[in-house]
Amino acid sequence: GAEGGALYGAAIRVPVLGSLLRTALVVQFSRALATLLSAGVDLPMALNLMRTAFGLKEVESVVHRMETALRQGEDFLKPLEESWLFPRLLPKMMRVGEETGNLAPSVLQASAMFEDKLETAIQRSLTILEPVIIICVSLMIAAIISSIIGAIISVNDLAL
């Protein structure tokens, strides 16, 4: 719903998490566009179908501007280039695909590349988080043990 979109929109601006979420968004965007184009949907219709698929106002705005530019015969990749959400490489790869007449394979290749990048980033994040998780679990266990020892000592004090 709207709350989830607002939460996602706020999380996408957080330094480390935001980078992962933006890369995931690029993967979803490029995968959806490539799938629609490969299925024979023309570009204006594909953009129209994708406009509300992501639940983010920023993405909706970019896709709407792309669709409008395309219908007016202008450079439809310019809104994508100007957006802070999308890396500069995506519109460059799409431009190559547009110029060669093979937009769908170009977008699919970009999607695969960003998927690899996302997978690597997630693996790095988990590698960094492992020691933090171990320390947190150790602290929780230490708190439980100290509370049990405290209870035993207080029962001993009552007996005396």
Side-chain angles (χ1 to χ4, degrees):
E3 301 85 22
L7 182 64
Y8 190 80
I12 213 162
R13 289 176 173 79
V14 174
V16 176
L17 180 64
S19 175
L20 287 173
L21 291 175
R22 275 195 306 277
T23 305
L25 179 73
V26 171
V27 169
Q28 287 177 326
F29 178 86
S30 53
R31 180 74 60 192
L33 183 60
T35 302
L36 287 169
L37 293 174
S38 298
V41 178
D42 64 336
L43 186 57
M45 181 57 79
L47 291 173
N48 188 18
L49 291 170
M50 288 177 52
R51 190 175 343 151
T52 58
F54 300 98
L56 277 176
K57 294 278 186 221
E58 292 94 342
V59 176
E60 188 175 334
S61 170
V62 168
V63 174
H64 180 67
R65 289 194 325 259
M66 286 175 71
E67 184 183 2
T68 303
L70 186 66
R71 291 189 189 281
Q72 293 174 351
E74 297 169 4
D75 181 13
F76 77 98
L77 294 173
K78 192 168 176 61
L80 201 62
E81 291 170 344
E82 295 170 348
S83 173
W84 64 271
L85 279 174
F86 296 94
R88 302 290 162 247
L89 187 58
L90 180 62
K92 286 179 183 176
M93 290 184 77
M94 288 177 69
R95 189 167 308 285
V96 169
E98 176 197 19
E99 290 171 359
T100 60
N102 292 325
L103 187 59
S106 181
V107 176
L108 196 58
Q109 183 179 2
S111 173
M113 189 183 67
F114 285 113
E115 239 173 63
D116 290 343
K117 181 181 177 183
L118 178 63
E119 193 173 309
T120 303
I122 289 173
Q123 287 300 326
R124 282 189 185 142
S125 298
L126 290 176
T127 302
I128 291 170
L129 279 178
E130 276 179 16
V132 173
I133 292 170
I134 290 171
I135 290 171
C136 289
V137 169
S138 300
L139 289 173
M140 288 184 350
I141 291 172
I144 292 170
I145 290 173
S146 66
S147 67
I148 291 172
I149 290 174
I152 291 172
I153 290 173
S154 67
V155 167
N156 251 357
D157 288 344
L158 289 176
L160 296 176

